[in-house]
PDB file of all heavy atoms in Angstrom:
ATOM      1  N   GLU A 118      85.909 101.629 -22.562  1.00  0.00           N
ATOM      2  CA  GLU A 118      86.422 101.101 -23.819  1.00  0.00           C
ATOM      3  C   GLU A 118      87.936 101.249 -23.866  1.00  0.00           C
ATOM      4  O   GLU A 118      88.478 102.274 -23.476  1.00  0.00           O
ATOM      5  CB  GLU A 118      85.818 101.855 -25.005  1.00  0.00           C
ATOM      6  CG  GLU A 118      84.317 101.727 -25.126  1.00  0.00           C
ATOM      7  CD  GLU A 118      83.795 102.576 -26.250  1.00  0.00           C
ATOM      8  OE1 GLU A 118      83.671 103.804 -26.042  1.00  0.00           O
ATOM      9  OE2 GLU A 118      83.517 102.007 -27.323  1.00  0.00           O
ATOM     10  N   ILE A 119      88.571 100.213 -24.388  1.00  0.00           N
ATOM     11  CA  ILE A 119      90.013 100.257 -24.610  1.00  0.00           C
ATOM     12  C   ILE A 119      90.218 100.011 -26.101  1.00  0.00           C
ATOM     13  O   ILE A 119      89.898  98.934 -26.607  1.00  0.00           O
ATOM     14  CB  ILE A 119      90.742  99.196 -23.765  1.00  0.00           C
ATOM     15  CG1 ILE A 119      90.489  99.464 -22.276  1.00  0.00           C
ATOM     16  CG2 ILE A 119      92.235  99.194 -24.086  1.00  0.00           C
ATOM     17  CD1 ILE A 119      90.969  98.380 -21.346  1.00  0.00           C
ATOM     18  N   LYS A 120      90.684 101.059 -26.785  1.00  0.00           N
ATOM     19  CA  LYS A 120      90.939 100.910 -28.216  1.00  0.00           C
ATOM     20  C   LYS A 120      92.126 101.767 -28.624  1.00  0.00           C
ATOM     21  O   LYS A 120      92.329 102.870 -28.112  1.00  0.00           O
ATOM     22  CB  LYS A 120      89.693 101.219 -29.049  1.00  0.00           C
ATOM     23  CG  LYS A 120      89.053 102.565 -28.815  1.00  0.00           C
ATOM     24  CD  LYS A 120      87.744 102.689 -29.589  1.00  0.00           C
ATOM     25  CE  LYS A 120      87.083 104.012 -29.237  1.00  0.00           C
ATOM     26  NZ  LYS A 120      85.778 104.161 -29.813  1.00  0.00           N
ATOM     27  N   ASN A 121      92.921 101.195 -29.536  1.00  0.00           N
ATOM     28  CA  ASN A 121      94.135 101.866 -30.031  1.00  0.00           C
ATOM     29  C   ASN A 121      95.037 102.322 -28.879  1.00  0.00           C
ATOM     30  O   ASN A 121      95.546 103.439 -28.869  1.00  0.00           O
ATOM     31  CB  ASN A 121      93.777 103.059 -30.918  1.00  0.00           C
ATOM     32  CG  ASN A 121      92.971 102.640 -32.131  1.00  0.00           C
ATOM     33  OD1 ASN A 121      93.188 101.549 -32.682  1.00  0.00           O
ATOM     34  ND2 ASN A 121      92.027 103.472 -32.521  1.00  0.00           N
ATOM     35  N   SER A 122      95.201 101.466 -27.882  1.00  0.00           N
ATOM     36  CA  SER A 122      96.061 101.731 -26.712  1.00  0.00           C
ATOM     37  C   SER A 122      95.635 102.963 -25.927  1.00  0.00           C
ATOM     38  O   SER A 122      96.458 103.640 -25.315  1.00  0.00           O
ATOM     39  CB  SER A 122      97.530 101.854 -27.126  1.00  0.00           C
ATOM     40  OG  SER A 122      97.989 100.637 -27.642  1.00  0.00           O
ATOM     41  N   ARG A 123      94.353 103.272 -25.929  1.00  0.00           N
ATOM     42  CA  ARG A 123      93.810 104.384 -25.154  1.00  0.00           C
ATOM     43  C   ARG A 123      92.609 103.872 -24.370  1.00  0.00           C
ATOM     44  O   ARG A 123      91.972 102.905 -24.757  1.00  0.00           O
ATOM     45  CB  ARG A 123      93.423 105.549 -26.057  1.00  0.00           C
ATOM     46  CG  ARG A 123      94.632 106.114 -26.815  1.00  0.00           C
ATOM     47  CD  ARG A 123      94.324 107.393 -27.532  1.00  0.00           C
ATOM     48  NE  ARG A 123      94.287 108.571 -26.684  1.00  0.00           N
ATOM     49  CZ  ARG A 123      95.358 109.185 -26.160  1.00  0.00           C
ATOM     50  NH1 ARG A 123      96.558 108.705 -26.361  1.00  0.00           N
ATOM     51  NH2 ARG A 123      95.220 110.269 -25.430  1.00  0.00           N
ATOM     52  N   ILE A 124      92.295 104.552 -23.252  1.00  0.00           N
ATOM     53  CA  ILE A 124      91.146 104.149 -22.450  1.00  0.00           C
ATOM     54  C   ILE A 124      90.111 105.277 -22.445  1.00  0.00           C
ATOM     55  O   ILE A 124      90.459 106.452 -22.289  1.00  0.00           O
ATOM     56  CB  ILE A 124      91.565 103.741 -21.010  1.00  0.00           C
ATOM     57  CG1 ILE A 124      90.373 103.163 -20.251  1.00  0.00           C
ATOM     58  CG2 ILE A 124      92.219 104.888 -20.264  1.00  0.00           C
ATOM     59  CD1 ILE A 124      90.754 102.386 -19.003  1.00  0.00           C
ATOM     60  N   TYR A 125      88.866 104.902 -22.647  1.00  0.00           N
ATOM     61  CA  TYR A 125      87.750 105.851 -22.713  1.00  0.00           C
ATOM     62  C   TYR A 125      86.706 105.458 -21.671  1.00  0.00           C
ATOM     63  O   TYR A 125      86.363 104.284 -21.543  1.00  0.00           O
ATOM     64  CB  TYR A 125      87.097 105.821 -24.096  1.00  0.00           C
ATOM     65  CG  TYR A 125      88.038 106.224 -25.206  1.00  0.00           C
ATOM     66  CD1 TYR A 125      88.872 105.290 -25.812  1.00  0.00           C
ATOM     67  CD2 TYR A 125      88.092 107.543 -25.646  1.00  0.00           C
ATOM     68  CE1 TYR A 125      89.736 105.659 -26.832  1.00  0.00           C
ATOM     69  CE2 TYR A 125      88.959 107.924 -26.666  1.00  0.00           C
ATOM     70  CZ  TYR A 125      89.779 106.965 -27.252  1.00  0.00           C
ATOM     71  OH  TYR A 125      90.643 107.339 -28.254  1.00  0.00           O
ATOM     72  N   ILE A 126      86.193 106.445 -20.946  1.00  0.00           N
ATOM     73  CA  ILE A 126      85.110 106.236 -19.985  1.00  0.00           C
ATOM     74  C   ILE A 126      83.921 107.056 -20.478  1.00  0.00           C
ATOM     75  O   ILE A 126      84.020 108.285 -20.584  1.00  0.00           O
ATOM     76  CB  ILE A 126      85.506 106.700 -18.561  1.00  0.00           C
ATOM     77  CG1 ILE A 126      86.836 106.098 -18.117  1.00  0.00           C
ATOM     78  CG2 ILE A 126      84.376 106.420 -17.575  1.00  0.00           C
ATOM     79  CD1 ILE A 126      86.865 104.599 -17.983  1.00  0.00           C
ATOM     80  N   ASN A 127      82.842 106.365 -20.792  1.00  0.00           N
ATOM     81  CA  ASN A 127      81.638 107.024 -21.321  1.00  0.00           C
ATOM     82  C   ASN A 127      81.995 107.983 -22.462  1.00  0.00           C
ATOM     83  O   ASN A 127      81.485 109.093 -22.555  1.00  0.00           O
ATOM     84  CB  ASN A 127      80.882 107.762 -20.214  1.00  0.00           C
ATOM     85  CG  ASN A 127      80.429 106.825 -19.114  1.00  0.00           C
ATOM     86  OD1 ASN A 127      80.086 105.672 -19.363  1.00  0.00           O
ATOM     87  ND2 ASN A 127      80.444 107.306 -17.894  1.00  0.00           N
ATOM     88  N   GLY A 128      82.924 107.569 -23.322  1.00  0.00           N
ATOM     89  CA  GLY A 128      83.333 108.354 -24.485  1.00  0.00           C
ATOM     90  C   GLY A 128      84.434 109.365 -24.226  1.00  0.00           C
ATOM     91  O   GLY A 128      84.986 109.944 -25.160  1.00  0.00           O
ATOM     92  N   GLU A 129      84.787 109.613 -22.966  1.00  0.00           N
ATOM     93  CA  GLU A 129      85.826 110.595 -22.637  1.00  0.00           C
ATOM     94  C   GLU A 129      87.201 109.923 -22.618  1.00  0.00           C
ATOM     95  O   GLU A 129      87.400 108.903 -21.966  1.00  0.00           O
ATOM     96  CB  GLU A 129      85.538 111.222 -21.271  1.00  0.00           C
ATOM     97  CG  GLU A 129      86.479 112.349 -20.916  1.00  0.00           C
ATOM     98  CD  GLU A 129      86.145 113.011 -19.582  1.00  0.00           C
ATOM     99  OE1 GLU A 129      85.038 112.796 -19.050  1.00  0.00           O
ATOM    100  OE2 GLU A 129      87.003 113.743 -19.081  1.00  0.00           O
ATOM    101  N   ASP A 130      88.149 110.526 -23.321  1.00  0.00           N
ATOM    102  CA  ASP A 130      89.505 109.973 -23.444  1.00  0.00           C
ATOM    103  C   ASP A 130      90.295 110.232 -22.158  1.00  0.00           C
ATOM    104  O   ASP A 130      90.479 111.385 -21.753  1.00  0.00           O
ATOM    105  CB  ASP A 130      90.210 110.624 -24.636  1.00  0.00           C
ATOM    106  CG  ASP A 130      91.574 110.024 -24.933  1.00  0.00           C
ATOM    107  OD1 ASP A 130      92.033 109.139 -24.181  1.00  0.00           O
ATOM    108  OD2 ASP A 130      92.189 110.451 -25.926  1.00  0.00           O
ATOM    109  N   TYR A 131      90.759 109.157 -21.535  1.00  0.00           N
ATOM    110  CA  TYR A 131      91.577 109.279 -20.323  1.00  0.00           C
ATOM    111  C   TYR A 131      93.047 109.014 -20.594  1.00  0.00           C
ATOM    112  O   TYR A 131      93.842 108.919 -19.675  1.00  0.00           O
ATOM    113  CB  TYR A 131      91.058 108.339 -19.232  1.00  0.00           C
ATOM    114  CG  TYR A 131      89.979 108.993 -18.397  1.00  0.00           C
ATOM    115  CD1 TYR A 131      88.667 109.040 -18.843  1.00  0.00           C
ATOM    116  CD2 TYR A 131      90.279 109.608 -17.193  1.00  0.00           C
ATOM    117  CE1 TYR A 131      87.679 109.657 -18.096  1.00  0.00           C
ATOM    118  CE2 TYR A 131      89.305 110.232 -16.438  1.00  0.00           C
ATOM    119  CZ  TYR A 131      87.999 110.252 -16.906  1.00  0.00           C
ATOM    120  OH  TYR A 131      87.035 110.883 -16.166  1.00  0.00           O
ATOM    121  N   GLY A 132      93.404 108.875 -21.846  1.00  0.00           N
ATOM    122  CA  GLY A 132      94.819 108.801 -22.174  1.00  0.00           C
ATOM    123  C   GLY A 132      95.304 107.435 -22.604  1.00  0.00           C
ATOM    124  O   GLY A 132      94.572 106.452 -22.696  1.00  0.00           O
ATOM    125  N   LYS A 133      96.589 107.437 -22.841  1.00  0.00           N
ATOM    126  CA  LYS A 133      97.294 106.295 -23.402  1.00  0.00           C
ATOM    127  C   LYS A 133      97.506 105.186 -22.364  1.00  0.00           C
ATOM    128  O   LYS A 133      97.698 105.461 -21.183  1.00  0.00           O
ATOM    129  CB  LYS A 133      98.642 106.799 -23.913  1.00  0.00           C
ATOM    130  CG  LYS A 133      99.485 105.814 -24.618  1.00  0.00           C
ATOM    131  CD  LYS A 133     100.741 106.507 -25.121  1.00  0.00           C
ATOM    132  CE  LYS A 133     101.749 105.480 -25.572  1.00  0.00           C
ATOM    133  NZ  LYS A 133     103.008 106.089 -25.958  1.00  0.00           N
ATOM    134  N   ILE A 134      97.491 103.964 -22.862  1.00  0.00           N
ATOM    135  CA  ILE A 134      97.889 102.812 -22.049  1.00  0.00           C
ATOM    136  C   ILE A 134      99.235 102.364 -22.594  1.00  0.00           C
ATOM    137  O   ILE A 134      99.358 102.008 -23.765  1.00  0.00           O
ATOM    138  CB  ILE A 134      96.860 101.667 -22.141  1.00  0.00           C
ATOM    139  CG1 ILE A 134      95.511 102.132 -21.598  1.00  0.00           C
ATOM    140  CG2 ILE A 134      97.370 100.439 -21.399  1.00  0.00           C
ATOM    141  CD1 ILE A 134      94.403 101.123 -21.763  1.00  0.00           C
TER     142      ILE A 134
END
Side-chain angles (χ1 to χ4, degrees):
E118 298 176 281
I119 299 171
K120 55 186 176 186
N121 300 325
S122 296
R123 298 189 78 74
I124 187 164
Y125 298 86
I126 308 297
N127 300 326
E129 186 177 345
D130 186 356
Y131 272 81
K133 184 177 168 185
I134 298 175

